[in-house]
Amino acid sequence: MIRIGKYRIGAAALSVAVVFITLSACAIVAACHQQRPEWSAPLWLTIMQYECMAMIATLAYGIVVHIAIWIVTRCKKK
């Protein structure tokens, strides 16, 4: 557990939050760099599409991390 002020956050939850913030920032930068004036899609739509991809990647990362922690904890108890 990591303590930030009066809040206690698990290491897995904190790492998922850090991954999501990082991927969100990368998604916004990538959308701004890849936007072309000749495309009919507005910038906000491109950003939303990239943010959705970041959320899906974060969800997959969170599931893998929590399963890995569960396996390690289970092995330590045996």
Side-chain angles (χ1 to χ4, degrees), residues 15-78:
S15 71
V16 169
V18 169
V19 165
F20 178 67
I21 291 169
T22 304
L23 287 177
S24 290
C26 291
I28 292 171
V29 170
C32 292
H33 280 291
Q34 292 182 356
Q35 189 67 22
R36 304 272 189 258
E38 61 271 8
W39 289 354
S40 61
L43 179 61
W44 69 268
L45 184 61
T46 307
I47 291 174
M48 288 301 294
Q49 291 170 344
Y50 285 13
E51 285 293 329
C52 288
M53 288 189 283
M55 291 176 83
I56 291 170
T58 304
L59 177 67
Y61 171 78
I63 290 170
V64 169
V65 166
H66 281 85
I67 290 173
I69 290 175
W70 176 74
I71 290 171
V72 168
T73 305
R74 188 169 179 189
C75 289
K76 281 184 179 180
K77 288 183 180 179
K78 286 185 177 184

